[in-house]
Amino acid sequence: MKALVLEEYNKLAYKDVPDPVITENDVLVKVMACGICGSDVHGLDGSTGRRIPPMIMGHEASGVIVETGKGVSKWKKGDRVTFDSTVYPLNDWFTLEGNYNLSDMREVLGVSPGTYKRDGAFAEFIVIPQHILYNIPKNVTFEQAAMVEAVAVALHSINIAGIKTGDSCIITGAGMIGVFIIKLLRISGASKIIAVDINTARVAAALNAGADHGFMFSDPSLNEKVIQLTNSRGADISFEAVGRSESVNSAIENTRKGGKVILVGNVSPKVEFPLQKVVTRELKILGSCAIRGEYEVILDLLQSGKIKVDDMISIVAPLSDGAYWFEKLYSRTEELNKVILVP
Ligand SMILES: [Zn+2]
């Protein structure tokens, strides 16, 4: 089969590789669409240590089942499917507790951090264990289904927050995940949605997605404005969707006493932490990692049209042009949202 192979850091090649082979509980999926994730772009140069070459990246995908293993009964050839980005063991303590996203031995598709290597979906075919598959509803396209992973990550953070009707929310970082958090908050009963970013285009995108107010991090009266908008208290819940000191500090600063800060972004491994602001105001700081079954809900919301993703797809391009699009995303020469590659 053809695949887009990370042969060495900063070197992608579209080339022939051996066809993958399924075992008893797997299906073979012919990939129809696979989105380039920010983590793939960051992984390209080795800086994250999670894409050790040679390997095939890609974990935001959809396709059609072309072969099923002997132990597979619920799925058949021709089924249109998407799948979790995480392959998790079924007999793990955390999985059995209902937290499969935290399971030991979990592996992410298209990731190679040294302890394991699992080839991803920038290829014609991919092997997927049957327990991570989801059916794509008829009126949802393969490209839309390839967006589900990112929307599910956003929904997971909202589920972690345990939002109540009327909560005021602030989102620091209006990239892909931040925008989907905003879209989901719109239908989750949040009263006021305030977005903050470093980039004016992203602030505009946040407003388009349904934020009530949009500000720049550099705005010297940001905190004052947030306080004014939230009955002189600060936001009930903050969602941090970048993972840098400036953004984490802004999320903490603009949350009301006793409020919650949900940390989703993790671009930097460490950030400066305003300890006293957290302790003396009794903030609840909660991490949100990946997805815990949110796929089904997102697929339903896509089917019913309650959530839209097309506006976040910039380009659908052939997988053979993958190296070109990775380079464009890496060099940030233009503002791109999701680039989807089609084998
Ligand atoms: Zn991703």
Side-chain angles (χ1 to χ4, degrees):
M1 69 169 182
K2 291 278 190 211
L4 185 69
V5 180
L6 181 67
E7 291 190 305
E8 49 191 88
Y9 288 128
N10 299 311
K11 189 175 171 226
L12 283 164
Y14 180 69
K15 61 186 259 190
D16 284 308
V17 298
D19 283 349
V21 181
I22 58 169
T23 57
E24 200 178 346
N25 290 310
D26 299 328
V27 304
L28 188 66
V29 174
K30 178 174 165 38
V31 179
M32 300 300 286
C34 184
I36 302 179
C37 177
S39 64
D40 295 327
V41 179
H42 289 297
L44 198 60
D45 62 7
S47 57
T48 66
R50 290 181 55 80
R51 303 290 191 281
I52 299 171
M55 54 115 31
I56 302 168
M57 298 192 277
H59 58 265
E60 305 176 353
S62 62
V64 177
I65 295 178
V66 291
E67 197 186 330
T68 56
K70 277 203 280 304
V72 177
S73 54
K74 194 186 150 202
W75 302 94
K76 58 181 191 313
K77 258 196 205 171
D79 284 347
R80 300 166 77 242
V81 292
T82 183
F83 34 85
D84 204 305
S85 50
T86 298
V87 179
Y88 52 92
L90 289 168
N91 58 354
D92 177 80
W93 186 86
F94 293 97
T95 302
L96 295 170
E97 285 284 295
N99 296 321
Y100 77 75
N101 59 324
L102 305 178
S103 63
D104 291 327
M105 312 294 285
R106 75 190 270 268
E107 297 183 356
V108 183
L109 297 174
V111 167
S112 155
T115 46
Y116 67 86
K117 178 173 93 164
R118 194 173 260 273
D119 279 335
F122 290 130
E124 278 183 276
F125 299 99
I126 184 168
V127 171
I128 301 292
Q130 60 173 336
H131 68 277
I132 68 165
L133 290 166
Y134 295 90
N135 253 314
I136 303 176
K138 268 203 188 73
N139 61 335
V140 174
T141 67
F142 288 115
E143 288 80 12
Q144 290 165 340
M147 298 294 282
V148 170
E149 204 256 357
V151 193
V153 166
L155 180 58
H156 185 57
S157 72
I158 291 175
N159 287 339
I160 291 275
I163 188 161
K164 297 195 308 292
T165 304
D167 278 342
S168 57
C169 298
I170 180 160
I171 297 88
T172 59
M176 181 76 55
I177 301 298
V179 161
F180 285 137
I181 290 174
I182 292 166
K183 288 184 179 221
L184 290 162
L185 284 175
R186 275 267 67 108
I187 55 175
S188 303
S191 65
K192 205 159 281 175
I193 303 173
I194 304 164
V196 190
D197 201 280
I198 196 167
N199 173 318
T200 46
R202 287 187 170 193
V203 171
L207 292 167
N208 266 332
D212 300 298
H213 305 274
F215 302 114
M216 300 284 283
F217 281 123
S218 56
D219 187 336
S221 55
L222 172 62
N223 184 243
E224 232 169 274
K225 287 174 178 163
V226 172
I227 297 281
Q228 240 172 44
L229 288 167
T230 51
N231 301 312
S232 311
R233 288 195 288 266
D236 296 311
I237 304 175
S238 291
F239 294 90
E240 201 290 320
V242 183
R244 290 191 202 282
S245 287
E246 184 187 34
S247 177
V248 171
N249 278 273
S250 180
I252 288 170
E253 163 127 33
N254 290 301
T255 305
R256 71 160 164 82
K257 284 180 274 188
K260 293 177 199 165
V261 179
I262 316 301
L263 302 178
V264 191
N266 60 104
V267 174
S268 359
K270 287 182 181 175
V271 294
E272 203 170 298
F273 190 77
L275 178 67
Q276 290 182 340
K277 268 187 193 155
V278 171
V279 173
T280 59
R281 294 157 68 231
E282 289 199 343
L283 298 188
K284 298 170 189 75
I285 310 285
L286 302 167
S288 175
C289 174
I291 296 156
R292 189 151 62 223
E294 284 86 359
Y295 275 77
E296 265 183 10
V297 175
I298 301 302
L299 286 160
D300 282 349
L301 291 171
L302 276 174
Q303 180 181 32
S304 63
K306 287 183 182 143
I307 191 118
K308 306 227 183 301
V309 295
D310 290 352
D311 57 330
M312 296 307 284
I313 301 174
S314 297
I315 303 281
V316 178
L319 181 62
S320 51
D321 292 346
Y324 170 82
W325 288 106
F326 260 94
E327 166 54 29
K328 256 192 138 43
L329 288 163
Y330 187 80
S331 61
R332 294 168 149 266
T333 42
E334 60 183 277
E335 194 66 34
L336 287 166
N337 290 316
K338 188 63 75 188
V339 172
I340 290 181
L341 300 176
V342 176

